[in-house]
């Protein structure tokens, strides 16, 4: 019996170990490595000499105006995702679901399409479109009749997040539309019919029947949007030119990248960078747990 | 009677106002989505001058090339030869376009003198010739390469060919490994004894879903540098595979738990080994979830940027997104080339999207909602 169990255990591990080992080495181990790095003064310029320095890196970070600037921009990105992409995606999905337009699948494929392009392509394309004398500027010139009009929102620190936010909405709205549509299609249509027979109008059906039924999906999408926004690197990186413009639009991941891989004079660049990435993970895990917690509370309240 | 009632209320509720608003909303959003892409596509066939002076006009200069003027130039150091002069010693006439970036040695043609009629073969540097003077075969070649000027330039100067192949390798190999390894893990977790151990392993792997490559890019870089794997295909594929596993294992375990145990038990009864059961029963039955997992993984890896940006330092390991990014940042003044590079990176995505639209959409939803 024991012999058979041992054999079964060996088979079991034979199936699990190849994947598990790769996972442990490349995903799990670096987490601890990163935690360790962030409490040292690991110096790559001196062959990796290091001492424990406690929370020095974190203290530096909280005193660094670049960190707060990046965090603020990150929160703008989160807000754009939650209050831009999700509502627009929801409305579009609802229109498709209620078949208020013909050729729905055509519209659907069109709006969803940007999600398939590489973020770098999208970022570079919008960088071109948003150039001071680029296509968008030309459009403004035609519409306003002022031939010298320029599109300068990308150039100023306090406005750069508007075009960036627009590109973010442009790219991700289709994704949320598809997610909402998939869940709308799971709804029992009898409920809608019943509401209609009772004389409910389209707006009432939307607010009283559809939105409550989809509250779970809305929550999951919000979690997704928050986590995704905190990780977002590619789009802003490729939309901006290295230097002042990228610093103006900097979000936490770009701040981390700039610190660790571009600031070669900083002797503690990897340690400091690790502290920044750890904070990103902590913030996003906290937000995910929070929204799951709220979700569970809401679900518990629904059972009557 | 009920269907009639329904239809009646349908008509009133889907009133004209609601419908019009819906159409306006969708058409506006559709146009916002598509117009930039359409502009990008047709503008990639425009010359640099056209792109600056006439942003919205349709391409013209590169297509209307019958009467283009060319100048004969000497073979100098700033001319990049498409052949090896040591090996191929035949004499050539080198001409440069007098309209597209003249003097910058960007738009060149090399003709074998033996293929040219004598009056053209004897032209000296500084002389000019018109495309229509050329023999028909060469005329067609010049005309063709003028139309695709931006594309040829982007492809050759950006080295996009090798980067495209790298992207295919990274995506293909990593996706295969993710599917294969996660099939094995999920089979063990869902259909073998040791339930308690399985719960622990699943939780451990599932936790990885909270992390992205970006969150541990610094330790990854240090680790891979210490074993000299940074600038290699192997290192990049390993990272992609490891980070693809959590979601794949979560989705597959969930799927396999839904498959009936009786199938496996009867296979055991018939004396099949565990591996045999896995290969000939579980794998075929898991095809739907394998497709979903492959789509999500492949899409993510094909578009991934940061890892390759950090790890790949030589041209031979860079992927297409990184290649396109560095090419477009370097070629700041060559607007047409930039756009052509973007289109080159986009076309495969469009082809795949159009052919697997339904499955991809389903896969993306499954992957997104798991979180």
């Amino acid at each position: 019996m024991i012999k058979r169990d041992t054999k079964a255990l060996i088979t079991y591990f034979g199936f699990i170990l190849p994947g598990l080992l790769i996972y442990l080495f490349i995903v799990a181990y670096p987490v601890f490595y990163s935690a360790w790095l962030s409490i040292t003064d690991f110096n790559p310029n001196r062959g990796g000499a290091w001492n424990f320095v406690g929370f020095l890196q974190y203290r530096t970070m909280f005193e660094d105006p670049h960190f707060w600037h990046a965090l603020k921009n990150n929160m703008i990105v989160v807000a754009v995702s939650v209050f831009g992409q999700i509502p627009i995606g929801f409305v579009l999905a609802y229109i498709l679901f209620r078949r208020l337009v013909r050729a729905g699948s055509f519209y659907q494929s069109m709006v969803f399409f940007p999600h398939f392009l590489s973020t770098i392509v999208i970022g570079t394309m919008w960088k071109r479109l948003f150039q001071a004398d680029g296509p968008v500027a030309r459009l403004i010139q035609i519409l306003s009749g002022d031939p010298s009009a320029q599109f300068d929102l990308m150039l100023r620190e306090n406005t750069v997040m508007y075009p960036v936010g627009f590109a973010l909405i442009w790219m991700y709205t289709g994704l949320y539309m598809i997610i909402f549509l998939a869940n709308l299609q799971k709804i029992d249509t009898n409920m809608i019919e019943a509401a209609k027979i009772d004389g409910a109008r389209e707006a009432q059906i939307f607010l009283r029947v559809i939105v409550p039924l989809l509250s779970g999906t809305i929550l999951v999408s919000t979690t997704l949007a928050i986590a995704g926004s905190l990780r977002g690197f590619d789009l802003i990186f490729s939309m901006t030119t290295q230097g002042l413009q990228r610093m103006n639009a900097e979000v936490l991941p770009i701040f981390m990248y700039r610190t660790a891989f571009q600031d070669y004079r900083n002797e503690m660049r990897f340690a400091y960078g690790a502290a920044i990435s750890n904070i990103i993970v902590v913030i996003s895990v906290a937000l995910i747990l929070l929204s799951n917690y709220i979700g569970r509370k809401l679900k518990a309240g629904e059972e009557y | 009677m009920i269907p009639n009632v329904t239809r009646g209320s349908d008509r009133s509720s889907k009133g004209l106002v609601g419908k019009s608003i819906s159409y306006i909303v969708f058409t506006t959003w559709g146009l916002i989505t598509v117009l930039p892409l359409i502009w990008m596509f047709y503008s990639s066939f425009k010359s640099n001058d056209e792109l600056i002076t006439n942003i919205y006009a349709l391409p013209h200069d590169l297509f209307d090339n019958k009467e283009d003027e060319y100048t004969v130039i000497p073979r100098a150091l700033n001319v990049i030869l498409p052949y090896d002069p040591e090996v191929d010693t035949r004499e050539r006439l080198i001409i440069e376009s007098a309209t597209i970036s003249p003097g910058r040695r960007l738009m060149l043609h090399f003709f074998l003198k033996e293929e040219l009629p004598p009056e053209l073969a004897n032209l000296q540097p500084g002389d000019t010739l018109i495309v229509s003077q050329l023999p028909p075969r060469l005329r067609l070649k010049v005309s063709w390469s003028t139309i695709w000027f931006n594309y040829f330039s982007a492809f050759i100067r950006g080295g996009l060919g090798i980067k495209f192949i790298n992207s295919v390798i990274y995506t293909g190999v990593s996706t295969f490994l993710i599917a294969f390894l996660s099939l094995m893990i999920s089979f063990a977790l869902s259909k073998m004894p040791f339930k308690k151990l399985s719960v622990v392993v699943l939780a451990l792997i599932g936790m990885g879903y909270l992390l992205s490559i970006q969150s541990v890019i610094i330790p990854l870089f240090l680790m891979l540098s210490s074993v000299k794997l940074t600038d290699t295909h192997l290192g990049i594929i390993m990272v992609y595979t490891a980070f693809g596993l959590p979601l794949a294992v979560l989705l597959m375990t969930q799927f396999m738990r839904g498959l009936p145990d009786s199938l496996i038990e009867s296979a055991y009864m018939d004396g099949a080994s565990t591996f045999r059961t896995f290969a000939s029963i579980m794998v075929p039955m898991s095809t739907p979830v394998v497709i979903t997992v492959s789509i999500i993984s492949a899409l993510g890896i094909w578009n991934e940027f940061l890892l390759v940006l950090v790890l790949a330092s030589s041209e031979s390991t860079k992927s297409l997104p990184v290649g396109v990014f560095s090419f477009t940042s370097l070629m700041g003044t060559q607007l047409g080339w930039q756009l052509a590079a973007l289109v080159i990176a986009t076309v495969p995505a469009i082809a795949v999207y159009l052919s697997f639209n339904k499955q991809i959409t389903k896969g993306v939803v499954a992957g997104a909602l798991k979180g």
Side-chain angles (χ1 to χ4, degrees):
Chain A
M1 201 62 201
I2 292 166
K3 209 178 167 192
R4 259 183 70 192
D5 270 7
T6 321
K7 207 186 154 202
L9 196 65
I10 291 170
T11 323
Y12 179 80
F13 275 113
F15 273 90
I16 286 186
L17 274 186
L20 189 64
L21 284 180
I22 290 189
Y23 171 81
L24 288 178
F25 269 114
I26 293 181
V27 183
Y29 172 61
V31 174
F32 298 101
Y33 196 157
S34 186
W36 169 80
L37 259 182
S38 73
I39 51 169
T40 67
D41 62 351
F42 182 86
N43 186 341
N45 297 1
R46 279 198 214 139
W50 60 276
N51 302 295
F52 278 117
V53 293
F55 289 100
L56 174 73
Q57 308 298 350
Y58 292 95
R59 216 176 312 134
T60 320
M61 180 167 67
F62 291 130
E63 282 162 10
D64 189 342
H66 290 295
F67 169 75
W68 294 106
H69 177 67
L71 185 66
K72 192 192 91 193
N73 279 342
N74 242 142
M75 288 304 138
I76 294 175
V77 174
V78 170
V80 164
S81 314
V82 175
F83 301 110
Q85 292 158 7
I86 291 181
I88 299 176
F90 194 94
V91 168
L92 294 178
Y94 185 70
I95 293 173
L96 286 177
F97 170 65
R98 301 287 293 131
R99 298 184 196 287
L100 294 174
V101 289
R102 277 160 194 271
S105 61
F106 168 71
Y107 278 117
Q108 183 190 327
S109 329
M110 208 156 71
V111 173
F112 192 38
F113 180 65
H115 189 69
F116 284 87
L117 302 180
S118 140
T119 323
I120 296 306
V121 168
I122 294 178
T124 316
M125 184 184 81
W126 282 106
K127 181 184 183 178
R128 254 315 273 127
L129 291 167
F130 282 145
Q131 252 166 13
D133 52 354
V136 173
R138 187 87 189 95
L139 199 67
I140 296 171
Q141 287 166 14
I142 294 167
L143 293 179
S144 67
D146 171 13
S148 62
Q150 287 202 325
F151 188 84
D152 54 3
L153 294 187
M154 284 295 286
L155 305 177
R156 279 187 269 127
E157 187 188 346
N158 50 351
T159 55
V160 68
M161 291 312 281
Y162 291 106
V164 167
F166 180 83
L168 280 166
I169 293 180
W170 186 87
M171 181 172 177
Y172 288 108
T173 298
L175 173 68
Y176 293 105
M177 179 188 79
I178 291 291
I179 292 175
F180 283 124
L181 187 61
N183 283 281
L184 279 166
Q185 280 160 351
K186 286 183 198 154
I187 290 180
D188 185 1
T189 43
N190 286 334
M191 288 183 86
I192 299 167
E193 297 302 334
K196 261 195 253 165
I197 292 168
D198 291 346
R201 274 184 289 154
E202 197 72 21
Q204 282 174 318
I205 295 176
F206 180 75
L207 288 176
R208 298 275 165 79
V209 181
I210 306 285
V211 174
L213 280 175
L214 279 193
S215 57
T217 314
I218 295 176
L219 197 83
V220 172
S221 312
T222 310
T223 315
L224 201 70
I226 294 170
S229 313
L230 285 166
R231 288 174 186 174
F233 174 88
D234 306 6
L235 187 83
I236 299 178
F237 191 77
S238 55
M239 248 184 103
T240 51
T241 315
Q242 184 167 354
L244 192 61
Q245 192 184 36
R246 194 173 289 156
M247 304 246 293
N248 285 341
E250 194 164 75
V251 284
L252 290 174
I254 297 182
F255 177 44
M256 181 274 289
Y257 175 80
R258 183 167 63 89
T259 307
F261 296 107
Q262 288 185 323
D263 186 9
Y264 293 110
R265 276 173 307 172
N266 184 353
E267 294 193 326
M268 294 191 289
R269 58 181 183 272
F270 289 128
Y272 190 21
I276 301 167
S277 7
N278 294 346
I279 280 292
I280 301 174
V281 174
V282 167
I283 296 176
S284 58
V285 169
L287 287 172
I288 290 169
L289 291 179
L290 181 73
S291 67
N292 278 354
Y293 173 75
I294 297 172
R296 226 174 295 137
K297 283 262 149 157
L298 283 179
K299 251 184 204 154
E302 269 168 22
E303 286 166 51
Y304 33 81
Chain B
M1 281 321 282
I2 291 167
N4 273 341
V5 172
T6 320
R7 219 177 297 146
S9 65
D10 242 5
R11 206 171 295 147
S12 61
S13 64
K14 293 181 184 177
L16 204 60
V17 181
K19 277 210 158 183
S20 321
I21 294 176
S22 305
Y23 271 104
I24 292 171
V25 168
F26 248 101
T27 312
T28 312
W29 197 257
L31 288 177
I32 291 176
T33 312
V34 170
L35 286 181
L37 294 168
I38 292 178
W39 176 82
M40 180 175 95
F41 273 88
Y42 77 73
S43 296
S44 65
F45 288 98
K46 286 162 77 166
S47 73
N48 225 8
D49 293 345
E50 278 181 298
L51 274 166
I52 293 166
T53 52
N54 221 336
I55 290 176
Y56 289 116
L58 289 173
H60 171 266
D61 283 6
L62 295 177
F63 286 89
D64 182 26
N65 54 34
K66 296 248 166 4
E67 298 301 319
D68 276 4
E69 204 178 272
Y70 281 81
T71 315
V72 181
I73 57 162
R75 206 181 95 184
L77 277 176
N78 61 354
V79 175
I80 302 162
L81 302 173
Y83 58 91
D84 187 354
E86 306 275 309
V87 182
D88 190 348
T89 51
R90 289 175 296 180
E91 275 202 80
R92 284 174 168 83
L93 184 75
I94 308 172
I95 59 171
E96 182 186 30
S97 170
T99 45
I100 297 161
S101 326
R104 297 184 58 191
R105 309 290 187 251
L106 295 179
M107 175 79 166
L108 301 172
H109 290 288
F110 302 83
F111 297 134
L112 282 172
K113 285 198 173 168
E114 59 205 57
E115 288 180 0
L116 291 169
E119 71 272 19
L120 291 179
N122 292 331
L123 285 175
Q124 293 307 309
D127 294 349
T128 56
L129 71 103
I130 309 288
V131 175
S132 53
Q133 291 176 308
L134 290 166
R137 201 179 63 81
L138 293 178
R139 204 190 304 157
L140 206 68
K141 189 179 154 243
V142 170
S143 162
W144 189 247
S145 57
T146 309
I147 291 172
W148 292 96
F149 171 59
N150 290 333
Y151 283 85
F152 286 141
S153 309
F155 201 78
I156 292 162
R157 282 167 200 264
L160 295 186
I162 176 94
K163 280 154 198 160
F164 184 88
I165 294 170
N166 281 338
S167 271
V168 171
I169 293 173
Y170 294 146
T171 310
V173 177
S174 313
T175 305
F176 173 78
L177 286 175
I178 291 169
F180 183 70
L181 294 174
S182 58
L183 268 172
M184 298 212 318
I185 295 177
S186 308
F187 171 64
L189 294 186
S190 59
K191 294 293 172 205
M192 283 191 188
F194 316 112
K195 295 287 172 212
K196 276 183 191 152
L197 193 58
S198 296
V199 171
V200 174
V201 173
L202 186 61
L204 186 66
I205 295 181
M207 236 150 18
Y209 190 60
L210 295 173
L211 297 168
S212 59
I213 292 179
Q214 187 201 91
S215 22
V216 290
I217 187 78
I218 296 168
L220 275 180
F221 174 74
L222 293 174
M223 283 162 58
L224 291 174
S225 324
S226 66
V227 289
K228 305 260 184 298
L229 278 178
T230 37
D231 196 21
T232 60
H233 288 78
L234 179 66
I236 291 168
I237 287 172
M238 269 165 51
V239 178
Y240 281 149
T241 308
F243 275 89
L245 284 176
L247 181 65
V249 169
L250 286 175
L251 287 173
M252 281 189 186
T253 312
Q254 201 178 34
F255 181 86
M256 285 187 183
R257 277 185 184 153
L259 295 176
D261 286 338
S262 52
L263 277 163
I264 292 159
E265 277 156 22
S266 60
Y268 276 130
M269 299 283 186
D270 294 346
S273 68
T274 315
F275 188 77
R276 196 55 210 285
T277 320
F278 168 71
S280 49
I281 297 184
M282 287 312 271
V283 173
M285 284 185 73
S286 304
T287 315
V289 76
V290 170
I291 291 174
T292 305
V293 163
S294 306
I295 288 171
I296 302 169
S297 314
L299 207 64
I301 296 169
W302 180 264
N303 290 334
E304 203 281 334
F305 176 69
L306 181 63
L307 181 77
V308 183
L309 182 72
V310 170
L311 290 191
S313 46
S314 64
E315 294 299 305
S316 60
T317 49
K318 282 180 180 167
S319 66
L320 199 54
V322 175
V324 167
F325 174 77
S326 46
F327 180 71
T328 50
S329 341
L330 285 177
M331 297 292 160
T333 52
Q334 290 293 336
L335 305 176
W337 296 6
Q338 282 187 12
L339 292 172
L342 294 183
V343 174
I344 291 173
T346 307
V347 166
I350 295 180
V352 173
Y353 182 55
L354 291 181
S355 23
F356 301 103
N357 195 341
K358 281 243 166 60
Q359 291 98 309
I360 291 180
T361 309
K362 237 171 57 195
V364 169
V365 172
L369 287 188
K370 191 65 227 168

